[in-house]
């Protein structure tokens, strides 16, 4: 007998991107120990949890210390007190009705977007945008829905929807039939958005083709444009074709605290091999109740406080702070004559490299000449080549300093 591994894991390309960024940073630091490096590559918040959240978090911890108020296992799907606030604030506000049984609270949108494919057949054809949040791709590779990665950087059997300056980062509908489409808007890594009309094209496609949209809306809190939807369910009929993922991570600084939620509407149907309709909601419920034991009570109480009047105000100020940085980055780079995308309804700014430099060459230039670290666009997929991602999750001072330094460069 031998232990047989899941060989699909061997198809995965090593997480070259952030490893290589770290390697080049370390090498630069060794040669330039006094250099003041500004990191604008991080996809993580930097501001602490707001006072309203901390207060609720502390109070819930104290409840855990008292036999009268102690909480053991909670519902795997999350507590109703949080689901109700989510529905009220994230959905009712936009004219969307949901039942608490359609909201599944979890420890992350990363894990949910990764785990959701568990409940779908192995022979579904998958489409992703290119560039992409790599979790969608890698989890389908692990499950065996792809072949090997080809020389062009794309996995065999996956459909890639190109997003670049030529199509203004609006993906075209798949040219071959697909069953499941992953969309993330506002987008990571490009920071670009889809308007309601542009998203409706995908909802209509899904309805016509019995396809499913997995909509990652982790960045809706950063939306500043009126025609950009805060939920895919703002599009008529989307409840019949879409699952939505949202998170407190970027919205409220919960990246290290862990709380997110996934909406699986009752109207959503899949099909068994005989062509019978099957409700998706009970499948996800079954998956979660079997493989997941819920988010801790104090964390859910902390998340509930995000929706208190104080919490909303305090969090709003932080988002504004980050978005002021985004504005500064956009303006500085645009003034330099660079082509700049995103950063209006997103903390990410996607910059076209000057003079057709490749992503890594521009990364090296910024590191060596300005001591600023970005993320090479090519790491997010073949269509990311020739771009670099900068993030607004830094201090105002560092953001300004980084832009001053970059503004002195000659391209
Ligand atoms: C940061 C991020 C998330 C959030 O993941 P969590 O696990 O909730 O922290 C989800 N999707 C995308 C595209 C992200 O960039």
């Amino acid at each position: 007998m031998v232990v047989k591994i899941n060989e699909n894991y061997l198809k995965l390309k090593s997480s070259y991107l952030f490893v290589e960024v770290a390697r080049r940073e370390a090498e630069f630091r060794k040669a330039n120990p006094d250099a003041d490096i500004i990191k604008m590559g991080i996809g993580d918040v930097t501001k602490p949890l707001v006072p309203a959240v901390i207060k609720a978090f502390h109070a819930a911890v104290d409840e855990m210390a008292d036999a009268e108020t102690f909480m053991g296992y909670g519902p795997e799907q999350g507590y109703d007190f949080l689901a109700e606030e989510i529905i009220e604030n994230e959905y009712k506000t936009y004219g969307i009705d949901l039942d608490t049984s359609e909201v599944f609270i979890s420890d992350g949108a990363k894990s949910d977007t990764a785990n959701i494919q568990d409940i779908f057949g192995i022979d579904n054809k998958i489409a992703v945008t290119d560039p992409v949040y790599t979790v969608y791709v890698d989890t389908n590779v692990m499950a065996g829905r792809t072949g090997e990665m080809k020389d062009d950087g794309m996995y065999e059997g996956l459909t890639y929807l190109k997003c670049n300056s030529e199509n203004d980062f609006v993906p075209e509908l798949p040219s071959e039939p697909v069953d499941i489409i992953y969309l993330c808007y506002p987008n990571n890594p490009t920071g670009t958005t889809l308007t309601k009309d542009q998203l409706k094209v995908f909802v209509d496609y899904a309805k016509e083709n019995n396809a499913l949209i997995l909509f990652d809306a982790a960045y809706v809190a950063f939306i500043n444009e009126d025609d950009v939807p805060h939920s895919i369910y703002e599009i008529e009929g989307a409840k019949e074709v879409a699952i939505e993922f949202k998170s407190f991570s970027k919205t409220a600084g919960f990246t290290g605290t862990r709380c997110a939620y996934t909406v699986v509407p009752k109207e959503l149907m899949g099909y068994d091999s005989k062509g019978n309709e099957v409700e998706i909601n009970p499948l996800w419920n079954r998956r979660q109740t079997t493989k997941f034991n819920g988010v801790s009570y104090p964390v859910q109480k902390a998340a509930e406080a995000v929706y208190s009047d104080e919490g909303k105000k305090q969090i709003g100020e932080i988002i504004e702070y980050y978005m002021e940085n985004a504005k500064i980055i956009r303006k500085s780079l645009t003034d330099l004559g660079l082509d700049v995308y995103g950063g209006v309804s997103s903390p990410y700014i996607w910059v076209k490299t000057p003079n057709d430099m490749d992503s890594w060459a521009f990364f090296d230039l910024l590191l060596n000449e300005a001591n600023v670290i970005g993320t090479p666009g090519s790491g997010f997929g073949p269509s990311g080549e020739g771009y670099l991602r900068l993030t607004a999750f830094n201090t105002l001072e560092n953001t300004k300093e980084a832009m001053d330094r970059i503004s002195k460069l000659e391209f």
Side-chain angles (χ1 to χ4, degrees), residues 143-388:
R145 282 193 194 85
T146 74
E148 300 288 339
M149 182 181 271
K150 298 173 290 177
D151 291 341
D152 60 8
M154 300 187 201
Y155 283 98
E156 224 161 44
L158 271 192
T159 298
Y160 290 78
L161 311 175
K162 267 194 190 137
C163 298
N164 53 35
S165 58
E166 278 156 40
N167 59 15
D168 214 14
F169 299 91
V170 177
E172 278 177 27
L173 288 171
S175 54
E176 51 202 358
V178 301
D179 304 299
I180 298 177
I181 305 171
Y182 289 83
L183 295 176
C184 172
Y185 288 95
N187 187 257
N188 179 12
T190 66
T192 58
T193 51
L194 291 185
T195 63
K196 281 181 195 163
D197 288 344
Q198 288 164 342
L199 185 55
K200 185 174 184 298
V201 172
F202 279 88
V203 171
D204 290 347
Y205 171 91
K207 286 170 85 171
E208 274 159 36
N209 296 280
N210 291 328
L212 170 71
I213 298 171
L214 299 175
F215 193 72
D216 185 340
Y219 293 94
V220 287
F222 298 86
I223 292 174
N224 278 317
E225 293 154 290
D226 286 341
D227 56 351
V228 174
H230 288 74
S231 164
I232 193 168
Y233 307 122
E234 286 184 53
I235 315 299
E236 201 190 323
K239 278 188 180 177
E240 291 155 42
V241 293
I243 292 175
E244 180 161 279
F245 306 90
K246 286 185 174 176
S247 173
F248 293 96
S249 283
K250 315 297 165 28
T251 306
F254 273 55
T255 51
T257 307
R258 314 304 307 142
C259 198
Y261 51 96
T262 290
V263 175
V264 187
K266 290 278 167 63
E267 291 93 325
L268 189 64
M269 298 289 170
Y271 299 86
D272 69 14
S273 55
K274 298 187 186 73
N276 302 313
E277 273 193 343
V278 180
E279 278 184 55
I280 307 268
N281 177 291
L283 299 185
W284 184 242
N285 190 51
R286 186 60 208 259
R287 193 268 171 212
Q288 288 300 79
T289 51
T290 302
K291 295 196 182 185
F292 182 60
N293 242 340
V295 178
S296 84
Y297 173 74
V299 167
Q300 292 190 64
K301 288 303 280 184
E304 183 190 24
V306 165
Y307 299 116
S308 64
D309 290 343
E310 263 187 313
K312 281 184 200 168
K313 186 169 162 286
Q314 293 163 357
I315 286 161
E317 281 162 13
I318 291 180
I319 302 249
E320 249 171 61
Y321 180 94
Y322 291 140
M323 290 314 287
E324 181 60 28
N325 290 344
K327 208 178 272 176
I328 291 167
I329 297 169
R330 276 187 60 88
K331 177 160 189 337
S332 308
L333 300 180
T334 306
D335 287 351
L336 273 173
L338 294 172
D339 290 328
V340 179
Y341 306 92
V344 177
S345 289
S346 158
Y348 296 128
I349 292 92
W350 191 245
V351 195
K352 182 98 191 74
T353 63
N355 310 320
D356 291 324
M357 238 181 249
D358 71 34
S359 295
W360 279 109
F362 192 45
F363 170 92
D364 284 336
L365 178 89
L366 292 187
L367 175 59
N368 291 318
E369 307 297 327
N371 306 343
V372 170
I373 295 189
T375 310
S378 53
F380 299 101
S383 293
E385 182 57 271
Y387 296 88
L388 183 111

Side-chain angles (χ1 to χ4, degrees), residues 14-197:
S14 61
S15 58
Y16 166 81
L17 177 63
F18 292 101
V19 173
E20 182 61 15
V21 167
R23 193 191 68 76
R24 291 191 192 204
E25 180 190 339
E27 193 177 74
F28 180 82
R29 270 191 204 280
K30 208 166 155 198
N32 308 274
D34 299 326
D36 171 24
I37 295 177
I38 300 178
K39 291 196 182 196
M40 301 189 78
I42 39 167
D44 194 357
V45 297
T46 50
K47 293 259 175 209
L49 296 175
V50 299
V53 166
I54 287 295
K55 194 173 150 207
F57 209 170
H58 274 295
V61 169
D62 286 341
E63 283 184 66
M64 298 299 266
D66 184 340
E68 292 291 311
T69 49
F70 168 78
M71 307 289 270
Y73 286 124
E76 291 94 340
Q77 306 87 340
Y79 287 104
D80 274 351
F81 67 75
L82 180 54
E84 279 159 12
E85 286 297 333
I86 288 168
I87 291 168
E88 191 63 36
N89 291 279
E90 306 282 349
Y91 292 98
K92 284 236 169 82
T93 318
Y94 304 105
I96 300 153
D97 277 325
L98 285 176
D99 187 75
T100 51
S101 62
E102 296 171 299
V103 178
F104 294 86
I105 292 155
S106 76
D107 65 352
K110 178 177 176 175
S111 29
D112 283 358
T113 54
N115 290 331
I116 196 79
Q117 45 83 31
D118 229 30
I119 61 170
F120 298 106
I122 195 74
D123 47 356
N124 283 298
K125 286 281 293 174
I126 309 289
V128 294
T129 60
D130 172 27
V132 69
Y133 180 57
T134 47
V135 172
Y136 317 147
V137 172
D138 289 353
T139 52
N140 278 291
V141 174
M142 290 171 175
R145 282 193 194 85
T146 74
E148 300 288 339
M149 182 181 271
K150 298 173 290 177
D151 291 341
D152 60 8
M154 300 187 201
Y155 283 98
E156 224 161 44
L158 271 192
T159 298
Y160 290 78
L161 311 175
K162 267 194 190 137
C163 298
N164 53 35
S165 58
E166 278 156 40
N167 59 15
D168 214 14
F169 299 91
V170 177
E172 278 177 27
L173 288 171
S175 54
E176 51 202 358
V178 301
D179 304 299
I180 298 177
I181 305 171
Y182 289 83
L183 295 176
C184 172
Y185 288 95
N187 187 257
N188 179 12
T190 66
T192 58
T193 51
L194 291 185
T195 63
K196 281 181 195 163
D197 288 344

